[in-house]
Short mmCIF file of all heavy atoms in Angstrom, two decimals:
data_model
loop_
_atom_site.label_atom_id
_atom_site.label_comp_id
_atom_site.label_asym_id
_atom_site.label_seq_id
_atom_site.Cartn_x
_atom_site.Cartn_y
_atom_site.Cartn_z
N LEU A 957 159.60 125.34 -55.02
CA LEU A 957 159.18 126.74 -55.04
C LEU A 957 159.52 127.46 -56.31
O LEU A 957 158.76 128.44 -56.77
CB LEU A 957 159.87 127.54 -53.84
CG LEU A 957 159.18 127.38 -52.54
CD1 LEU A 957 159.91 128.11 -51.46
CD2 LEU A 957 157.73 128.06 -52.64
N SER A 958 160.68 127.19 -56.87
CA SER A 958 161.18 127.98 -58.08
C SER A 958 160.39 127.56 -59.34
O SER A 958 160.50 128.27 -60.30
CB SER A 958 162.63 127.64 -58.30
OG SER A 958 162.74 126.22 -58.71
N GLN A 959 159.52 126.53 -59.23
CA GLN A 959 158.74 126.15 -60.41
C GLN A 959 157.28 126.43 -60.25
O GLN A 959 156.52 126.30 -61.19
CB GLN A 959 158.86 124.60 -60.55
CG GLN A 959 160.27 124.19 -60.82
CD GLN A 959 160.46 122.63 -60.88
OE1 GLN A 959 159.79 122.11 -61.81
NE2 GLN A 959 161.04 122.01 -60.00
N ILE A 960 156.75 126.92 -59.17
CA ILE A 960 155.32 127.22 -58.93
C ILE A 960 155.07 128.74 -58.93
O ILE A 960 156.05 129.55 -58.75
CB ILE A 960 154.81 126.57 -57.65
CG1 ILE A 960 155.51 127.08 -56.41
CG2 ILE A 960 154.90 125.07 -57.78
CD1 ILE A 960 154.94 126.43 -55.15
N SER A 961 153.84 129.14 -59.02
CA SER A 961 153.56 130.55 -59.08
C SER A 961 153.39 131.31 -57.70
O SER A 961 153.63 132.48 -57.64
CB SER A 961 152.40 130.79 -59.96
OG SER A 961 151.26 130.12 -59.51
N ALA A 962 152.96 130.54 -56.79
CA ALA A 962 152.68 131.16 -55.38
C ALA A 962 152.90 130.18 -54.24
O ALA A 962 152.87 129.06 -54.49
CB ALA A 962 151.31 131.77 -55.39
N SER A 963 153.17 130.81 -53.05
CA SER A 963 153.37 129.94 -51.92
C SER A 963 152.58 130.49 -50.76
O SER A 963 152.35 131.65 -50.58
CB SER A 963 154.79 129.85 -51.63
OG SER A 963 155.33 131.16 -51.29
N LEU A 964 152.21 129.50 -49.90
CA LEU A 964 151.43 129.79 -48.68
C LEU A 964 152.05 129.07 -47.60
O LEU A 964 152.28 127.81 -47.64
CB LEU A 964 150.01 129.33 -48.82
CG LEU A 964 149.04 129.58 -47.66
CD1 LEU A 964 148.83 131.01 -47.45
CD2 LEU A 964 147.64 128.90 -47.96
N LEU A 965 152.48 129.70 -46.57
CA LEU A 965 153.24 129.16 -45.34
C LEU A 965 152.32 128.69 -44.31
O LEU A 965 151.47 129.47 -44.02
CB LEU A 965 154.26 130.18 -44.87
CG LEU A 965 155.10 129.75 -43.70
CD1 LEU A 965 156.06 128.59 -43.99
CD2 LEU A 965 155.93 130.91 -43.08
N THR A 966 152.49 127.49 -43.88
CA THR A 966 151.70 127.02 -42.72
C THR A 966 152.56 126.99 -41.49
O THR A 966 153.70 126.39 -41.50
CB THR A 966 151.06 125.63 -42.96
OG1 THR A 966 150.23 125.66 -44.14
CG2 THR A 966 150.22 125.19 -41.81
N VAL A 967 152.13 127.54 -40.43
CA VAL A 967 152.92 127.74 -39.21
C VAL A 967 152.08 127.00 -38.09
O VAL A 967 151.00 127.31 -37.83
CB VAL A 967 153.26 129.14 -38.91
CG1 VAL A 967 153.92 129.26 -37.44
CG2 VAL A 967 154.06 129.81 -39.90
N ARG A 968 152.62 126.02 -37.37
CA ARG A 968 151.85 125.35 -36.31
C ARG A 968 152.21 126.06 -34.96
O ARG A 968 153.37 126.15 -34.52
CB ARG A 968 152.30 123.89 -36.25
CG ARG A 968 151.47 123.12 -35.36
CD ARG A 968 151.82 121.63 -35.51
NE ARG A 968 151.00 120.87 -34.60
CZ ARG A 968 151.25 119.52 -34.36
NH1 ARG A 968 152.09 118.91 -34.97
NH2 ARG A 968 150.45 118.97 -33.46
N SER A 969 151.20 126.54 -34.39
CA SER A 969 151.31 127.24 -33.07
C SER A 969 151.94 126.29 -32.05
O SER A 969 151.53 125.11 -31.90
CB SER A 969 149.88 127.67 -32.57
OG SER A 969 150.02 128.26 -31.34
N GLY A 970 152.93 126.84 -31.33
CA GLY A 970 153.63 126.12 -30.39
C GLY A 970 154.64 125.16 -30.81
O GLY A 970 155.34 124.51 -30.03
N VAL A 971 154.72 124.96 -32.10
CA VAL A 971 155.75 124.08 -32.71
C VAL A 971 156.78 124.77 -33.56
O VAL A 971 158.03 124.57 -33.33
CB VAL A 971 155.09 122.98 -33.48
CG1 VAL A 971 156.13 122.01 -34.14
CG2 VAL A 971 154.09 122.09 -32.57
N THR A 972 156.33 125.57 -34.45
CA THR A 972 157.26 126.32 -35.37
C THR A 972 158.03 127.39 -34.49
O THR A 972 157.38 128.22 -33.81
CB THR A 972 156.49 127.07 -36.47
OG1 THR A 972 155.75 125.99 -37.12
CG2 THR A 972 157.45 127.67 -37.34
N ASN A 973 159.26 127.29 -34.67
CA ASN A 973 160.09 128.26 -33.84
C ASN A 973 160.20 129.51 -34.75
O ASN A 973 160.61 129.55 -35.81
CB ASN A 973 161.48 127.68 -33.67
CG ASN A 973 162.40 128.50 -32.78
OD1 ASN A 973 162.40 129.65 -32.80
ND2 ASN A 973 163.12 127.72 -31.93
N ALA A 974 159.94 130.71 -34.06
CA ALA A 974 159.93 132.04 -34.68
C ALA A 974 161.29 132.26 -35.30
O ALA A 974 161.41 133.07 -36.22
CB ALA A 974 159.46 133.04 -33.78
N ARG A 975 162.32 131.80 -34.78
CA ARG A 975 163.79 132.11 -35.23
C ARG A 975 163.98 131.50 -36.49
O ARG A 975 164.85 131.98 -37.34
CB ARG A 975 164.71 131.48 -34.25
CG ARG A 975 164.78 132.29 -32.91
CD ARG A 975 165.85 131.74 -32.00
NE ARG A 975 165.38 130.42 -31.51
CZ ARG A 975 165.96 129.60 -30.72
NH1 ARG A 975 167.16 129.92 -30.28
NH2 ARG A 975 165.56 128.50 -30.43
N VAL A 976 163.21 130.56 -37.07
CA VAL A 976 163.44 130.00 -38.34
C VAL A 976 162.66 130.79 -39.39
O VAL A 976 162.97 130.63 -40.63
CB VAL A 976 163.02 128.46 -38.46
CG1 VAL A 976 163.80 127.72 -37.52
CG2 VAL A 976 161.59 128.27 -38.39
N LEU A 977 161.79 131.60 -39.05
CA LEU A 977 160.91 132.32 -40.11
C LEU A 977 161.70 133.25 -40.95
O LEU A 977 161.42 133.32 -42.12
CB LEU A 977 159.81 133.05 -39.32
CG LEU A 977 158.68 132.12 -38.69
CD1 LEU A 977 157.64 132.89 -37.97
CD2 LEU A 977 158.19 131.12 -39.73
N PRO A 978 162.66 134.02 -40.43
CA PRO A 978 163.52 134.76 -41.37
C PRO A 978 164.22 134.01 -42.52
O PRO A 978 164.22 134.38 -43.67
CB PRO A 978 164.46 135.47 -40.51
CG PRO A 978 163.84 135.56 -39.09
CD PRO A 978 163.05 134.29 -39.04
N LYS A 979 164.70 132.82 -42.12
CA LYS A 979 165.35 131.93 -43.11
C LYS A 979 164.13 131.45 -44.12
O LYS A 979 164.43 131.47 -45.30
CB LYS A 979 165.92 130.78 -42.38
CG LYS A 979 166.39 129.58 -43.26
CD LYS A 979 167.62 129.90 -44.07
CE LYS A 979 168.09 128.64 -44.85
NZ LYS A 979 168.74 128.97 -45.99
N VAL A 980 163.07 131.07 -43.64
CA VAL A 980 161.95 130.65 -44.51
C VAL A 980 161.62 131.74 -45.53
O VAL A 980 161.56 131.57 -46.77
CB VAL A 980 160.79 130.20 -43.76
CG1 VAL A 980 159.51 129.96 -44.63
CG2 VAL A 980 161.07 128.99 -42.93
N PHE A 981 161.44 132.90 -45.02
CA PHE A 981 160.97 134.07 -45.92
C PHE A 981 162.11 134.37 -46.85
O PHE A 981 161.83 134.76 -47.97
CB PHE A 981 160.76 135.31 -45.03
CG PHE A 981 159.36 135.19 -44.23
CD1 PHE A 981 159.37 135.40 -42.91
CD2 PHE A 981 158.29 134.75 -44.87
CE1 PHE A 981 158.15 135.28 -42.18
CE2 PHE A 981 157.06 134.56 -44.14
CZ PHE A 981 157.02 134.83 -42.77
N SER A 982 163.36 134.26 -46.50
CA SER A 982 164.50 134.54 -47.39
C SER A 982 164.45 133.44 -48.53
O SER A 982 164.77 133.85 -49.78
CB SER A 982 165.78 134.46 -46.57
OG SER A 982 166.93 134.48 -47.51
N VAL A 983 164.27 132.21 -48.30
CA VAL A 983 164.10 131.17 -49.24
C VAL A 983 163.04 131.48 -50.23
O VAL A 983 163.16 131.36 -51.43
CB VAL A 983 164.07 129.80 -48.62
CG1 VAL A 983 163.81 128.67 -49.65
CG2 VAL A 983 165.30 129.43 -47.85
#
């Protein structure tokens, strides 16, 4: 991430836990 210009997050319905998203956005 630190070497690229932009990021797009893929979230899988029913699999990705919403509790991890704040950590992902922070990174």
Side-chain angles (χ1 to χ4, degrees):
L957 274 175
S958 65
Q959 301 180 63
I960 60 176
S961 57
S963 61
L964 179 66
L965 176 65
T966 302
V967 176
R968 188 170 179 192
S969 178
V971 175
T972 304
N973 190 319
R975 289 181 290 181
V976 303
L977 294 179
K979 168 72 172 155
V980 168
F981 291 128
S982 174
V983 172

